[in-house]
Every structure is written in structure tokens, then in C-alpha cells.
Amino acid sequence: MTNSLFSLAFGVGTQNRQGNWLEVFYAQPLLNPSAELVTKVTGKLNYTGGNQAISFSTSQATELADLLKSVDSVQAALLTRLAESHRPLVATLIAEDAALTSTPEAYLKLHLLSHRLVKPHGLNLAGIFPLLPNVAWTSQGAVDLAELAERQLEARLKGELLEVFSVDKFPKMTDYVVPAGVRLADSARIRLGAYVGEGTTVMHEGFINFNAGTAGPGMIEGRVSAGVFVGKGSDLGGGCSTMGTLSGGGNIVIAVGEGCLIGANAGIGIPLGDRNTVESGLYITAGTKVALLDDKNQLVKVLKARELAGQPDLLFRRNSQTGAVECKTHKSAIELNAALHAHN
């Protein structure tokens, strides 16, 4: 058996009364753990290969902590704390970045994103939705929806209130990970699985979905949808909607370059190169017809927006008289046209 793994993490989580996992918290997930650590862990947990989520006891946690003291002091310290747990424990071992097979595995990949160990589009998240149960996120943690009414009654009988914050497949990121160097005005609007780069500010109406995020620094006042990765120094204006496009395999793939400005109530369906500007209220899809203008505002050609994807220094605007979508560039029309022909 190989002594290499793609990822490894020890977690503590919540199960419903049937023993099904609702969620898992991984304090110190590992990407490409050392061979020595993998050898000791797999031997102790009777790991048989592949991608597995293996439940273990508090006594096993103590034994693992002793085994790892000379190998990885951080993981050893974590296991010492997990040995005190009153909640179920799980070790999740991912041999290869393949389609997901279990709820603990799905939560581990979401943690890898929010811990900034992997950037959006860097993980295979195929099959994630059926493996994330829709649960009530409450003041007492995750609660199975079938058990919620009884739990609410139990709380009331004790003179307590079981507050339900949301009913969703995804929890908020900050209940699991708080990345360094960020400002989050409303943490409920950032899902676990978001990648929030250092220096990022998310204002009150900003939203970041899973498998999406920002390289940072930058300002988010609108919506960063699943699959969108925003470059450094970009500003997504209030109410803007950035919508990904589908690529092979069903993964959403779209990127926003550095120094971009997407105005209020604007949106994109194409990747943007560096220093692009989309004026407020303008929504650009891949098939949007765009009038390409030269530096004298003369029409060069009409093309579809997808042909401008990834080009730097572009300004997208709508002509207030004709309603046509126009694009200007700081570069000459000849240079841009040459680049487009070379790309095609």
C-alpha cells in the first residue's frame, strides 16, 4: 500500500440519531501529508486504501497523539484535544482527488478551500450536493430536520430558545474557518468552501459561495457565485452578479483578473483579464454582441463577448443612445485585433 495521500484530516462532527453525518469540523487539515505521518496513521486505523472516512474513539485519539509526537507536533496536539471529545470523531483520508464518496470527505474538501490550501477550481467536487444533507443550523449546531421540532420543544421546556439561523446544505465559513487578514461585515454571507484571500473586505451585502473567492486584497460588495475567482485589487460593486459558465465535466469555471471593477447591478458570464471595467447595470454573457471601438471611438468590428474573454485593459459600456454594448481598450484596435486573431 502506498504511503502517500492527497489529503488527511482528523475531525469532530455531528451525526443524527441514525448515525448519519450532518457535518464535520477539521481544525488542522493537511494537504499532501508526509509519508512518515501517513504510515503511522494508516497502520493504527487499519486503513485499506482509497478514499475513506474512518470513525475512531477517544482512546484511539490518545494513541495516535503518542504516535505522532515525534512526527508532527501540531497534529499530535490536536489529537490530544480530540481525545476529550463528547462528539463523534472521524479521520478522513483522501488517496486521490476523485469524485466525492462521503459527507466527511465533502467537508474536508470545503475546509481545504477555506483554509487557502487549494484555490477554487483546484479540487474535484463532483457529487457534492447529494452528500451534504440539508440541515438546520442552530444556536446548538447542526440539527437533522426530522429531529428539529423535538429539539425545539426540549429547549423550550428547559426555558431555552433553540434559534434556527438557516436551513441549508452549507454552513457559514466562520463557524469552521476564520482566515487571517480579512474583514467580513456579515459572516453569514460567506459559505464554507469560500476562498477569501488576505486583504479582502466583504461588505454587508457581499456574498461568496463555495468553490469561489478572492485572491485579495480587494473589495466585495456584490455576489461572487460558485466557480468565480476574483483577482487582487478588484472591486465588485454592490448588487453585481458574477455568473459562471459551464465547462467540460460540469465544473463552473470563470476568473476575474487583478484590478477589475464590476459596477453596481452589473454581471459577467465571461472571464475578465486584468484591469477590466464593466459599467453599472451592464450584464455581459458569452453570447452578448459587442461593438469593438478603436481609440477614436470608431467601430472596428462586432463580435461576441466570449472572444474578448481574458483580454486586459477593457472597458465594457452600453451606448446610451443606441443601447449597443461597446468595448474600448487602452491598447490600439490593431493590437487587440491581432491578439484576437492569434487566439482564434
Side-chain angles (χ1 to χ4, degrees):
M1 184 187 301
T2 179
N3 59 355
S4 66
L5 290 174
F6 175 75
S7 182
L8 166 66
F10 303 105
V12 55
T14 306
Q15 295 176 324
N16 63 13
R17 291 171 182 169
Q18 285 72 48
N20 299 318
W21 289 102
L22 300 181
E23 57 84 41
V24 182
F25 170 70
Y26 300 102
Q28 299 286 344
L30 295 172
L31 185 68
N32 301 317
S34 71
E36 187 178 3
L37 185 148
V38 170
T39 298
K40 289 184 178 294
V41 170
T42 54
K44 188 64 181 177
L45 295 178
N46 297 318
Y47 169 71
T48 57
N51 296 351
Q52 290 191 40
I54 303 173
S55 296
F56 63 101
S57 65
T58 53
S59 61
Q60 286 176 301
T62 300
E63 294 168 0
L64 280 167
D66 292 337
L67 276 176
L68 298 184
K69 281 180 181 177
S70 61
V71 178
D72 190 321
S73 60
V74 174
Q75 295 297 316
L78 171 61
L79 285 159
T80 299
R81 296 302 308 275
L82 292 178
E84 305 169 3
S85 177
H86 297 284
R87 294 279 190 168
L89 304 176
V90 63
T92 302
L93 302 90
I94 300 179
E96 60 176 339
D97 182 25
L100 295 161
T101 59
S102 69
T103 298
E105 187 181 334
Y107 266 84
L108 175 50
K109 287 194 174 182
L110 294 177
H111 277 71
L112 291 175
L113 286 161
S114 291
H115 276 275
R116 301 176 183 158
L117 295 174
V118 183
K119 291 181 179 179
H121 315 310
L123 291 171
N124 186 340
L125 299 177
I128 191 170
F129 287 101
L131 295 172
L132 295 177
N134 195 30
V135 303
W137 300 101
T138 78
S139 51
Q140 295 181 11
V143 177
D144 189 300
L145 291 176
E147 301 168 7
L148 180 60
E150 185 177 347
R151 290 280 296 272
Q152 288 176 314
L153 177 60
E154 289 175 359
R156 293 284 182 168
L157 294 175
K158 296 175 182 177
E160 302 171 354
L161 172 65
L162 178 63
E163 187 174 0
V164 178
F165 302 116
S166 68
V167 177
D168 196 6
K169 288 179 173 289
F170 292 83
K172 65 180 181 180
M173 180 188 72
T174 52
D175 283 348
Y176 295 79
V177 185
V178 180
V182 301
R183 294 171 54 205
L184 309 175
D186 185 352
S187 62
R189 298 180 66 85
I190 296 94
R191 278 175 153 183
L192 180 64
Y195 182 110
V196 187
E198 187 168 0
T200 297
T201 295
V202 184
M203 298 302 288
H204 292 82
E205 295 304 317
F207 169 80
I208 305 179
N209 210 339
F210 82 103
N211 198 30
T214 65
M219 175 77 73
I220 303 299
E221 299 180 81
R223 178 164 59 90
V224 182
S225 300
V228 176
F229 192 54
V230 181
K232 294 180 179 179
S234 296
D235 184 352
L236 272 66
C240 76
S241 172
T242 47
M243 185 182 72
T245 56
L246 293 178
S247 68
N251 294 318
I252 298 176
V253 178
I254 189 168
V256 178
E258 296 185 7
C260 292
L261 171 62
I262 303 176
N265 300 307
I268 58 171
I270 61 169
L272 297 183
D274 295 340
R275 300 173 300 279
N276 277 209
T277 298
V278 181
E279 76 167 12
S280 298
L282 177 60
Y283 202 105
I284 302 171
T285 66
T288 299
K289 290 185 177 180
V290 180
L292 182 63
L293 307 180
D294 63 18
D295 55 356
K296 296 182 177 59
N297 290 328
Q298 298 300 306
L299 179 65
V300 177
K301 64 185 298 187
V302 175
L303 65 171
K304 291 186 178 181
R306 66 169 61 93
E307 298 180 66
L308 296 167
Q311 296 292 328
D313 301 296
L314 301 181
L315 165 64
F316 293 92
R317 68 186 189 187
R318 189 177 293 279
N319 188 299
S320 61
Q321 294 182 319
T322 66
V325 177
E326 298 175 340
C327 177
K328 292 191 65 176
T329 176
H330 298 301
K331 297 182 178 181
S332 71
I334 295 175
E335 288 176 332
L336 179 59
N337 213 20
L340 288 173
H341 283 300
H343 178 71
N344 293 335

